[in-house]
Amino acid sequence: PRAGTIIAAMSEEPREGVARFRVGNAFAGYRLDQFLQRMIPRLSRNRIQSAIRTRVHLSWEAPVKCSTPVRAGGMVYVDDPAVNEQAIDFDPAVLWEDDDLLAIDKPAGLVVHPTHSHLRNTIVMLLRRQRDEPGLSLCHRLDAETTGVLLLARHRAARRRMQTAFERGRVEKTYLALVFGQPRRDEFEIEAPLGPVTHDSYVFRQAPDGEDPRPARTSFRVLGRFERWCLVEAKPVTGRRHQIRAHLALAGHPVLGDKLYALDDRQYRRFLRRGGLDDELSDRLIAPRTMLHNARLVVPRPGTPDGRIEIIAPTPADFAPFLDPTLRGAP
């Protein structure tokens, strides 16, 4: 059906490229635009209203308008424009490759796996198409703005082995991060459980007071001190979501450019509403992206001389201006 029209019934499974949102009792009676703003907080109000005019459907009989009240138990469908996008140019450096594994140097700005808002231009989907390897799958995940070593398995058996290695702590991970301020000690450790903190039905941060927090521990070492920031090495002992970013924020030294952990709730909501950074937020964050880099991954690999492989990703070019010893302010 044409977007913006009425759908009286939609019992069949929606096609690929349609995000689905079920209306819970807590949202009954919300305006359609308000409901979608809660469900897709990364989109600005203007983009939500534009989507309603062009690519939103309802499972009940009602006009599709911004002011339409949503019904408890109903479904709201949003066509994803990514389905119609051309594949972006993507030619990552290969850091390791054999019959089982593929490791690339992930660039900033790309999500690693398909979600309801990113379907085609994700690293997994791009690599599957470009290399004609439909069996490629992730062994671990990196956030969209994080760079560095990303490991993929080429078949199910390799993926199972690597997932087991990650779960059992047999993978050594070393990150580099540019952080605000000056830690008091050159070496320190943060041990604090992490769980998702939710606001208005969507997840903000990971924090000790989040839902069902799980143990998390990260070791840090300062590698270089500058006037307004430091370069630190981070070695996560556990593997929780956002672990390094959350632990650094708890220590009072969030990562430069980190919209989620270096901004307060009010500033982060402003970033979401605008769909990007304004001048004030840009000045606050100093860097345009989260300055976190997965520099080194050591994984068990039977058959190699040491029984493991070490994969190293060079420090990305956008770190360089921040590491200039003559630097006296923001780049």
Side-chain angles (χ1 to χ4, degrees), residues 80-91:
D80 194 326
V83 172
N84 299 317
E85 290 178 357
Q86 296 295 319
I88 63 174
D89 184 24
F90 182 61
D91 186 24

Side-chain angles (χ1 to χ4, degrees), residues 129-178:
R129 291 197 300 268
Q130 290 181 3
R131 300 176 70 92
D132 193 24
E133 290 191 58
L136 276 174
S137 59
L138 294 168
C139 297
H140 64 122
R141 297 181 180 182
L142 296 179
D143 296 327
E145 294 188 358
T146 301
T147 57
V149 182
L150 182 67
L151 187 65
L152 300 99
R154 308 185 92 153
H155 52 78
R156 288 184 180 179
R159 182 185 182 187
R160 285 195 296 268
R161 287 197 298 270
M162 285 298 103
Q163 285 181 328
T164 299
F166 275 93
E167 290 168 0
R168 295 182 178 177
R170 289 159 45 200
V171 176
E172 183 180 339
K173 296 163 282 187
T174 305
Y175 287 76
L176 297 178
L178 288 160

Side-chain angles (χ1 to χ4, degrees), residues 9-307:
M10 201 170 189
S11 58
E12 72 276 8
E13 188 73 12
R15 67 186 184 279
E16 180 189 46
V18 177
R20 295 166 290 166
F21 302 99
R22 182 174 296 279
V23 181
N25 291 332
F27 292 102
Y30 270 55
R31 286 170 52 109
L32 179 58
D33 57 353
Q34 293 173 337
F35 172 74
L36 286 175
Q37 183 71 72
R38 299 296 180 90
M39 296 299 103
I40 321 176
R42 69 181 183 84
L43 293 186
S44 67
R45 182 181 179 86
N46 287 339
R47 292 179 66 187
I48 289 287
Q49 293 175 341
S50 175
I52 289 172
R53 291 192 295 269
T54 59
R55 53 191 179 92
V56 170
H57 320 282
L58 306 176
S59 66
W60 66 93
E61 188 172 351
V64 182
K65 300 189 300 183
C66 293
S67 60
T68 297
V70 296
R71 294 184 182 180
M75 297 292 293
V76 178
Y77 303 99
V78 183
D79 289 335
D80 194 326
V83 172
N84 299 317
E85 290 178 357
Q86 296 295 319
I88 63 174
D89 184 24
F90 182 61
D91 186 24
V94 174
L95 304 174
W96 173 273
E97 186 171 11
D98 60 22
D99 292 340
D100 299 325
L101 302 173
L102 172 69
I104 66 163
D105 188 359
K106 177 192 174 297
L110 282 179
V111 296
V112 296
H113 60 92
T115 67
H116 74 267
S117 56
H118 298 86
L119 290 173
R120 293 187 180 275
N121 289 336
T122 67
I123 287 181
V124 166
M125 299 305 290
L126 289 167
L127 287 172
R128 286 175 179 176
R129 291 197 300 268
Q130 290 181 3
R131 300 176 70 92
D132 193 24
E133 290 191 58
L136 276 174
S137 59
L138 294 168
C139 297
H140 64 122
R141 297 181 180 182
L142 296 179
D143 296 327
E145 294 188 358
T146 301
T147 57
V149 182
L150 182 67
L151 187 65
L152 300 99
R154 308 185 92 153
H155 52 78
R156 288 184 180 179
R159 182 185 182 187
R160 285 195 296 268
R161 287 197 298 270
M162 285 298 103
Q163 285 181 328
T164 299
F166 275 93
E167 290 168 0
R168 295 182 178 177
R170 289 159 45 200
V171 176
E172 183 180 339
K173 296 163 282 187
T174 305
Y175 287 76
L176 297 178
L178 288 160
V179 306
F180 285 94
Q182 303 291 330
R184 287 181 295 176
R185 300 190 303 274
D186 285 341
E187 295 188 15
F188 58 102
E189 184 174 276
I190 301 295
E191 185 167 7
L194 296 173
V197 177
T198 59
H199 291 280
D200 300 327
S201 84
Y202 57 91
V203 175
F204 266 69
R205 302 172 178 87
Q206 302 286 318
D209 59 351
E211 183 179 348
D212 189 25
R214 303 177 66 188
R217 181 160 59 99
T218 314
S219 296
F220 298 98
R221 181 165 65 100
V222 177
L223 300 180
R225 295 181 181 271
F226 302 87
E227 184 176 353
R228 299 172 60 192
W229 53 78
C230 284
L231 175 69
V232 302
E233 175 188 86
K235 291 188 174 184
V237 179
T238 51
R240 310 303 178 209
R241 185 183 185 195
H242 296 175
Q243 178 173 315
I244 294 172
R245 297 163 61 192
H247 275 174
L248 283 167
L250 285 172
H253 304 288
V255 180
L256 268 60
D258 193 336
K259 289 84 176 169
L260 188 56
Y261 290 94
L263 300 178
D264 61 29
D265 283 359
R266 178 186 59 82
Q267 293 168 329
Y268 183 64
R269 287 177 185 275
R270 191 166 90 220
F271 164 72
L272 293 178
R273 286 195 304 270
R274 294 179 60 89
L277 298 174
D278 55 28
D279 290 343
E280 180 186 345
L281 295 182
S282 294
D283 290 343
R284 169 70 183 86
L285 292 172
I286 299 178
R289 74 156 176 105
T290 303
M291 302 303 284
L292 183 64
H293 176 67
N294 188 12
R296 177 175 175 266
L297 205 65
V298 180
V299 300
R301 194 73 178 101
T304 59
D306 296 328

